[in-house]
Amino acid sequence: MISMKNFTCLWPVLSLLLGFSIVGCGVPSFPSQEENNSSMNDAVGQSLGNEADEDVVAPLSEEMPGAFFEDECPFESMDNESVICGYLLVAEDRTKVDGLTVEIAVAIIPSHRDAPRPDPVLYLEGGPGGSALLGIDDWLESPLREEREIILFDQRGTGFSWPNLDCPETDAVEAGEAPEGVLKIEAVETCRNRLRQLGVDLTAYNSAASAADVEDLRVALGIETWNLFGISYGTRLALTVMRDYPTGVRSVVLDSVYPLNVDAYTVSPQTQADAILALLRACQADVDCRHWYPELEQDLYTAIDILNDEPLELEDGFVTGEDLVSALVSSLYDSETIPVLPLAISEAAFDNHDIWLELSEEEARRTTSHRSRQHQSPRQDDVEDLEDSQGMFYSVECREEAPFGSPSAAQSLMEGYPDQLAEPLLADLDEFYAACAIWGAGEAAKVENMPVESDIPTLLLAGELDPVTPPSWARLASETLTNHLYLKIPRGGHSVSSDGDCVMQIIVDFYNALDAEPDSDCIQEIRAFEGP
C-alpha cells in the first residue's frame, strides 16, 4: 500500500498433484540464505553514524537465473504442512552476466479442490516494500482457494527475499530510538551507504525489474496463464506486467489502483485533503450524521488549532494538530474505522481525544501482532522489520515518481485549501523529496509515467474515501483498459477487498466467469455513521 510516510495503503518444488512442472529442481550448491543474510545483518546491527560493513556480497550462484528450488517455509503459519515454499533465482541486473543474484521468496497455497483450475491467482503486495508472505494466514482462509491455488511472493528487496532493503536506521529515528540529534535524512543516507557497500545496486529494485521476476516465476513454475491480484502498489506492478508480459495473464483484479500515469507525489497532498473533505460531505449528506454533527468541518479545524496551540502531552511525547491530520488520513485507510470518525472529530473539538487515542492503540496492537511473526525464520532473524522495506520504497518511488513531480507543483495544487490541512500534508512531501535526492535510485524512462493499454479482462475496485489511491485514479487507469469493470465502494477506504465477504465474492465470481458481470448489489450496503 502507498502513503506519504508509508506511501502505505495490504506471500519448492511443486508436486505434480498441483498441475505444474518445475524448472531447476533441487537445491543448487551455493551459500545458504542464512549465511548470505548474516553479512547483511551484521551491518544492520551497527549504530547510526558508524561505518558500514566493507565486505561486498558476492553473487549467490552461477546457476542460470530463473531457476526455482524448494526450501522450508521461512515463516510459521496455521497450515505450514500444505504450503509449498521455495526461492526463485533471478539476476539483480539482467544486463549483467555475473552480477548479484537475487532470491525471491515464494509460497504456494494449494486449492481445496483435488483438481484445481489450471490458472492460479498470483498476489502482488503493496507498499512498495510490503511482505506478502507475512500475511499468509489471511490467504489460507481465502475463498479463492475453492477453485485455484494462490501464489504469494515477496518482491525483490522485501520480506523474506534476499537481499532485504530494510532500513532499520530510519525506523529507529521514527521510533525515537536513534542517538540524540540524528535526523531522518541522515538515517536515510546511512542506510543507503550500508546497502551500497554490501553490493546492492539500488537502481535495480523497481517495477519493471519486479515484473520480469513475475514472468520468470510463471515460466519456472510451468504455468501457461494465471490471474493477477494487486492491492495498492501491487496494482502498479500488475499494470507493468500487463504492459511487459501480457501473454501469461488471463485476468487482473486491481484493488485501490495506482496507475503509472498519475504524478502521485504532486497530487497526493490534494488527494488526502480531498478524502478528508469527502468524509465531511458524506456526513452532511447523511440525515443522522448531519443532525449529530452540524458543524463538522469547523469542528475539525477547531480541533487542529487547539492541539497546535497546546499539544496534548502523553507518556512518549506530544500530539499536535498536524499529528491529528496524519491520524485522520491513516484512519481513512480502514473502512471499519470510517463510521466513527465524525464522532472522533466532534469530540476533539471539545478537547476530548479519547477516541483518537483508542484508535492509535488499536493500530499499535495490529502492528505488534503483525511483527510478532517476523522472527520465526532463521533467514531473516536479525532484520528489525519485515513489515515494510523502506529501502525498496525509496528505490521504486524515487525512481518512478519523484522525477515526474515536484513539491512546488504540489504546493500550487494546495492553494485554496485550509492551512490546517495544507501545511501538514505538504510537510511530509518535503521529507520524501529530500530522501530521493540522496538515495540514488536513478530515473525511470518516460514509459513508466505513461498509461498502460490492455484488453486483458480487468476488475478495478476503489474505496470512495480512500485517501491515497482515490477513485479518480482507478478511472484514469480504466481509460486505456478496453475490457474492464469498475466498481466504487461507498464509504470504503483503502484495500476494499479486505473489508468483508461482499467484495471478495465479487472477485471470486469475476475470476470464475470473465464473460459475465458479477453481481455487485451488495456494495450498496453502506456503513452507518456512529452517533454520540
Side-chain angles (χ1 to χ4, degrees), residues 173-337:
V173 172
E174 292 175 355
E177 298 170 354
E180 186 176 355
V182 173
L183 302 176
K184 174 73 174 290
I185 193 66
E186 294 172 331
V188 171
E189 186 173 17
T190 300
C191 181
R192 179 205 65 184
N193 292 344
R194 172 176 58 79
L195 292 173
R196 280 181 173 176
Q197 291 186 22
L198 288 168
V200 176
D201 179 0
L202 298 176
T203 69
Y205 294 80
N206 52 67
S207 299
S210 290
D213 297 341
V214 168
E215 177 65 2
D216 280 348
L217 180 61
R218 184 187 68 82
V219 173
L221 298 181
I223 298 170
E224 183 176 354
T225 62
W226 54 11
N227 306 280
L228 304 183
F229 182 0
I231 296 178
S232 196
Y233 166 71
T235 66
R236 186 185 183 102
L237 178 53
L239 287 162
T240 306
V241 175
M242 293 166 71
R243 181 194 69 195
D244 295 349
Y245 307 99
T247 56
V249 182
R250 173 181 176 268
S251 70
V252 182
V253 172
L254 304 177
D255 174 2
S256 305
V257 186
Y258 184 8
L260 278 66
N261 53 319
V262 65
D263 291 339
Y265 291 89
T266 297
V267 302
S268 58
Q270 183 184 52
T271 293
Q272 294 174 71
D274 284 346
I276 293 172
L277 296 177
L279 170 70
L280 304 179
R281 289 195 300 271
C283 177
Q284 292 307 296
D286 182 275
V287 174
D288 289 333
C289 195
R290 182 174 66 249
H291 172 70
W292 294 325
Y293 317 110
E295 303 294 335
L296 189 62
E297 183 170 0
Q298 186 55 51
D299 287 347
L300 174 61
Y301 304 144
T302 298
I304 296 170
D305 290 339
I306 288 173
L307 285 174
N308 280 334
D309 292 339
E310 188 174 346
L312 177 66
E313 185 174 3
L314 302 176
E315 290 183 3
D316 56 352
F318 292 87
V319 177
T320 68
E322 294 188 355
D323 294 325
L324 181 61
V325 174
S326 295
L328 180 53
V329 171
S330 295
S331 296
L332 284 169
Y333 274 66
D334 185 1
S335 300
E336 301 256 338
T337 301

